[in-house]
Amino acid sequence: MAENPFFAPSDLPYQLPPFGEVREEHYLPAFERGMAEHLAEVEEIANNPEPPTFENTIAALERSGRILDRTATVFFSVAASNSSDGIMAIEKEVSPQLTRHSDAIRLNRALWARIKQVTTDVPEESWLLEKYRDDFIRAGADLSEPDQARLRELNEELSKLSTEFAQSLLKASTESALVVTDPKELDGFDEAKIESLRKDDGTYVLPLLNFTNQPGLAQLTDRDVRRRLYELSVGRAPGNFGIAAEMATLRAERAELLGFPNHAAYSVADQTAKTVEAVEQMLGQLVGPAVRNARKEAEELAEQAGFAIEPWDWSYYSEKVRQARYDFDGAAMRPYFELNRVYRDGVFFAATKLYGMTFTERPDLSGYHPDVTVFEVFEEDGDRLGLFVLDPYARENKRGGAWMNNLVDQSFLFGLKPVVMNNLNVTKPASGPTLLTYDEVNTAFHEFGHALHGLFSQVRYPRVSGTSVPRDFVEYPSQVNEMWATWPEVLANYAKHYETGEPMPAELVEKLKAAEKFNQGFQTVEYLAATLLDWAWHKLEPGETVADPEAFEAIALEAAQIAFPLVRPRYRTNYFAHVFTGGYSAGYYSYIWSEVLDAESVEWFKENGGLTRANGDHFRRQLLSLGGSLDPLTAFRNFRGREPSIRPLLSRRGLD
């Protein structure tokens, strides 16, 4: 056990986790010791005979649990990105233990009594103190003993179900994959793509990505193959319907215990939205215009196809209409979007122009997989800022989607600089360069916006470091960063043909911009349908159960006036990982809520000269560097100079 790499801080630069030393057998002993030491530290804080102060109570809690923090950070990063049967077994065992551990701290009455007595006049300390108090109240610290006992049972059961949902979905991405034996059925894909799908047994396997509308639907020419792919997508992991329904019922019961009418009300109370009514008012402004736009788009697609289209036809014929109307072919852009160039000459270039930061690859530092690359990040004056870790490729043992996470949180308390990571799910070619779609380029810029939020953090306490902000605010900086993907100076620097080095033709760029609002009805309805489905599950009344989850799903979409047979939700219940495993329960609205702030901010950048150091420094100073140390909407007002308006968002999506 003395050799367990989690028992002491990493001696690598920036305390990058020593992935090369970590073996599966290290995790359980490290979790066990980490939880035991953390509880001992908490007991010492709770039973301190000295009067409670910020330093001996809140700051002491911030210093506690270091072994557990290191272990959990690495374990759950690997579980998401490079899982195995052993990792999945450990996850099933440890997840309920961690839930019990969290409850043991937040339901500690002596500790809660001390926290309630702490006072401070220091602004950052005052904000953190309020966060702690809110955390404990929302965790049930004021409940009676019987109610706390029931709360512990609910939390543990929900933890088990969440793990079961996630692992079922991970298996379904391969078990429900499209398998063909004749490569002619993959007509529409280029040769490199087809070759990347070929397996040793001679079959061709197209795994499912984590949303309804699979990318292949836009390219595959065989309509029956498209149908099969679509039906595999919407029907995967059928057992998850029951798990989701059970989770929604348990969440409703927990919300009632904590004094809320439903889980949605509980979920938004500590977000920037604050109330169910505020969320529903915003969503209500979007549903009608979005559905009208989508119906109009469907008529155009049917006219192009010459028959009544089905859901699996939408992407294919929308590309046909896009080409006819704008003479724009998305596939024609891929040769100009080579992965390394997108990052080094696009994502990093924009960051250098805006913030003065520079990037140096560190081949001496490694991650948990050979595909992982580590970059050291520097300020303009050469000061070290942190590390950026990139894992771009899809794998069978990697969950779908794209995400950012912190491997090391910035904090002045520990003298730590940030180590942040971006995960994508780009198909790795069998050989040759990795060429991205425009959507994948946009995702790269989006996720790096999260990375900037983590890298620029300048706070004292880990609890409010980097992206530790309300869920309906965290997507805002990342969505703003998407604007630089097509900013002329940035695009010209990275969009170059992978073979010739020639820049992307100006007419192709203009066609891209002209086509940006195309298909926005579909995209908005797809998103809103998922949002309102999430909302329906989490407005269940306490005691309400759902016997037929698929029927519930259909009824919920009809009731929300978002049901449109040709546009299913971006995520159906059975693969809605955001809300049943990812911490976004009753929170998927966050993306559109954040987009209101994002659209306002993009407008501000354009009004003030765009890609300039002055603009970057202002955004960094007023928003990115603050983490969760200030009320987020106050930070937004300090940046923008006014309250947010929905007008720029409606204009962007063609809904005005």
Side-chain angles (χ1 to χ4, degrees):
M1 289 301 95
E3 297 177 359
N4 193 307
F6 295 114
F7 289 172
S10 169
D11 58 6
L12 292 174
Y14 304 90
Q15 293 193 20
L16 174 73
F19 290 106
E21 300 175 18
V22 175
R23 301 189 301 275
E24 286 184 5
E25 58 263 32
H26 289 138
Y27 288 118
L28 285 176
F31 273 120
E32 182 180 355
R33 177 167 164 180
M35 285 186 277
E37 287 195 3
H38 193 199
L39 285 179
E41 291 164 340
V42 167
E43 283 298 319
E44 186 175 348
I45 296 166
N47 298 313
N48 187 341
E50 297 295 323
T53 65
F54 185 90
E55 181 59 31
N56 69 19
T57 304
I58 303 302
L61 286 169
E62 287 289 283
R63 291 188 178 94
S64 67
R66 302 307 293 162
I67 289 177
L68 180 58
D69 181 67
R70 288 193 293 269
T71 307
T73 296
V74 171
F75 176 78
F76 287 106
S77 295
V78 172
S81 304
N82 198 39
S83 191
S84 66
D85 290 342
I87 291 290
M88 293 173 75
I90 294 169
E91 188 176 19
K92 277 190 174 181
E93 181 174 348
V94 82
S95 290
Q97 293 177 18
L98 289 170
T99 299
R100 290 194 294 271
H101 177 77
S102 177
D103 284 343
I105 295 171
R106 293 185 175 178
L107 301 181
N108 183 316
R109 294 194 183 278
L111 179 62
W112 177 224
R114 286 185 67 84
I115 291 172
K116 287 191 285 188
Q117 295 176 62
V118 173
T119 61
T120 179
D121 294 325
V122 179
E124 185 176 355
E125 292 180 355
S126 179
W127 181 253
L128 180 60
L129 176 59
E130 286 306 308
K131 287 287 182 189
Y132 264 86
R133 286 176 174 162
D134 194 43
D135 287 347
F136 273 69
I137 291 170
R138 289 173 59 79
D142 282 333
L143 296 181
S144 67
E145 290 289 349
D147 283 348
Q148 284 192 355
R150 178 56 182 156
L151 182 65
R152 292 173 193 265
E153 293 173 355
L154 289 170
N155 287 341
E156 186 168 341
E157 184 61 24
L158 282 165
S159 175
K160 291 177 181 177
L161 290 169
S162 178
T163 299
E164 188 178 343
F165 188 103
Q167 294 190 355
S168 169
L169 186 53
L170 179 62
K171 291 179 180 178
S173 68
T174 52
E175 291 176 354
S176 298
L178 176 70
V179 180
V180 303
T181 55
D182 185 353
K184 292 179 181 178
E185 291 190 287
L186 299 175
D187 181 60
F189 288 161
D190 59 34
E191 291 183 11
K193 171 75 171 179
I194 294 173
E195 184 61 22
S196 73
L197 303 178
R198 188 167 63 86
K199 301 300 179 183
D200 292 338
D201 63 0
T203 62
Y204 297 80
V205 179
L206 182 62
L208 298 179
L209 299 186
N210 207 39
F211 32 75
T212 296
N213 204 45
Q214 300 296 307
L217 295 172
Q219 300 165 277
L220 293 165
T221 60
D222 188 317
R223 193 181 185 210
D224 187 62
V225 174
R226 293 201 304 271
R227 177 191 59 77
R228 285 156 50 199
L229 176 60
Y230 183 86
E231 290 178 347
L232 286 167
S233 180
V234 298
R236 78 186 94 163
N240 278 356
F241 278 112
I243 296 173
E246 187 176 356
M247 290 181 72
T249 296
L250 294 176
R251 284 170 172 169
E253 181 184 348
R254 182 174 62 182
E256 183 181 38
L257 266 181
L258 294 167
F260 294 88
N262 52 55
H263 182 75
Y266 167 79
S267 181
V268 303
D270 67 340
Q271 302 298 301
T272 62
K274 300 298 184 190
T275 68
V276 165
E277 292 74 23
V279 175
E280 292 179 345
Q281 180 183 16
M282 185 266 292
L283 296 176
Q285 296 180 66
L286 301 172
V287 170
V291 172
R292 285 195 297 273
N293 278 18
R295 291 188 183 280
K296 181 179 177 183
E297 290 167 4
E299 292 172 2
E300 295 170 346
L301 300 187
E303 184 178 345
Q304 173 71 31
F307 53 81
I309 64 168
E310 297 287 351
W312 48 85
D313 297 317
W314 189 294
S315 292
Y316 185 77
Y317 285 101
S318 68
E319 284 304 306
K320 298 293 186 186
V321 172
R322 193 196 309 263
Q323 290 174 29
R325 181 179 300 173
Y326 302 104
D327 192 24
F328 175 75
D329 180 6
M333 303 186 80
R334 291 190 68 207
Y336 299 93
F337 292 151
E338 191 274 321
L339 175 68
N340 288 318
R341 182 165 269 163
V342 166
Y343 271 95
R344 295 167 196 264
D345 297 340
V347 174
F348 294 169
F349 174 78
T352 301
K353 285 289 186 179
L354 273 172
Y355 308 110
M357 60 202 306
T358 57
F359 304 80
T360 300
E361 186 174 343
R362 291 290 302 266
D364 57 312
L365 301 177
S366 60
Y368 46 75
H369 189 278
D371 288 341
V372 174
T373 306
V374 180
F375 298 87
E376 189 168 12
V377 188
F378 298 89
E379 298 276 20
E380 187 175 33
D381 61 6
D383 282 355
R384 290 175 168 82
L385 184 59
L387 294 179
F388 172 65
V389 183
L390 177 64
D391 181 2
Y393 291 116
R395 292 184 289 275
E396 290 184 353
N397 61 350
K398 184 179 185 180
R399 70 175 171 89
W403 65 95
M404 170 267 189
N405 61 294
N406 282 9
L407 296 175
V408 178
D409 290 321
Q410 178 275 330
S411 80
F412 296 134
L413 183 69
F414 293 114
L416 292 175
K417 294 181 181 294
V419 178
V420 304
M421 184 167 193
N422 277 178
N423 269 274
L424 279 67
N425 261 284
V426 176
T427 300
K428 188 175 184 179
S431 61
T434 302
L435 304 180
L436 306 183
T437 65
Y438 172 66
D439 283 346
E440 288 169 338
V441 171
N442 208 53
T443 297
F445 277 85
H446 175 99
E447 295 304 329
F448 193 73
H450 287 305
L452 290 169
H453 206 175
L455 286 166
F456 285 150
S457 178
Q458 292 284 290
V459 301
R460 180 165 178 77
Y461 299 104
R463 170 65 177 80
V464 292
S465 179
T467 55
S468 300
V469 297
R471 186 181 51 234
D472 57 7
F473 190 81
V474 75
E475 297 298 334
Y476 156 49
S478 57
Q479 289 172 331
V480 171
N481 204 59
E482 294 176 23
M483 72 178 290
W484 308 118
T486 54
W487 195 259
E489 184 180 358
V490 179
L491 189 67
N493 199 62
Y494 76 86
K496 298 178 181 178
H497 198 281
Y498 77 98
E499 289 180 320
T500 67
E502 290 295 312
M504 182 182 289
E507 59 269 23
L508 192 55
V509 176
E510 291 307 311
K511 290 172 185 176
L512 168 65
K513 292 179 178 178
E516 277 187 331
K517 288 185 180 179
F518 176 75
N519 214 33
Q520 277 293 329
F522 173 90
Q523 292 176 26
T524 308
V525 167
E526 181 190 49
Y527 167 79
L528 288 174
T531 299
L532 292 161
L533 179 59
D534 167 31
W535 207 243
W537 278 116
H538 293 110
K539 285 191 73 178
L540 287 182
E541 294 183 0
E544 187 176 356
T545 59
V546 175
D548 187 341
E550 291 195 70
F552 174 88
E553 183 177 280
I555 292 167
L557 296 175
E558 285 286 352
Q561 299 182 349
I562 197 71
F564 185 27
L566 295 180
V567 184
R568 304 286 280 275
R570 181 171 174 82
Y571 303 100
R572 291 189 70 206
T573 301
N574 45 320
Y575 46 94
F576 208 160
H578 279 76
V579 303
F580 293 110
T581 71
Y584 273 65
S585 57
Y588 195 61
Y589 78 89
S590 300
Y591 289 90
I592 201 86
W593 186 274
S594 293
E595 196 179 345
V596 171
L597 307 180
D598 153 37
E600 276 271 25
S601 300
V602 168
E603 192 173 80
W604 180 89
F605 271 103
K606 290 178 177 178
E607 290 170 354
N608 288 276
L611 190 75
T612 69
R613 281 300 311 281
N615 287 345
D617 288 346
H618 180 61
F619 193 50
R620 176 177 179 173
R621 182 173 57 253
Q622 298 295 349
L623 271 160
L624 297 178
S625 66
L626 300 177
S629 65
L630 180 70
D631 172 66
L633 289 182
T634 299
F636 173 82
R637 287 190 293 268
N638 291 343
F639 164 71
R640 185 67 175 101
R642 70 178 190 215
E643 296 288 337
S645 163
I646 200 172
R647 179 191 54 79
L649 170 65
L650 295 175
S651 176
R652 170 192 287 185
R653 286 183 171 256
L655 302 178
D656 52 351

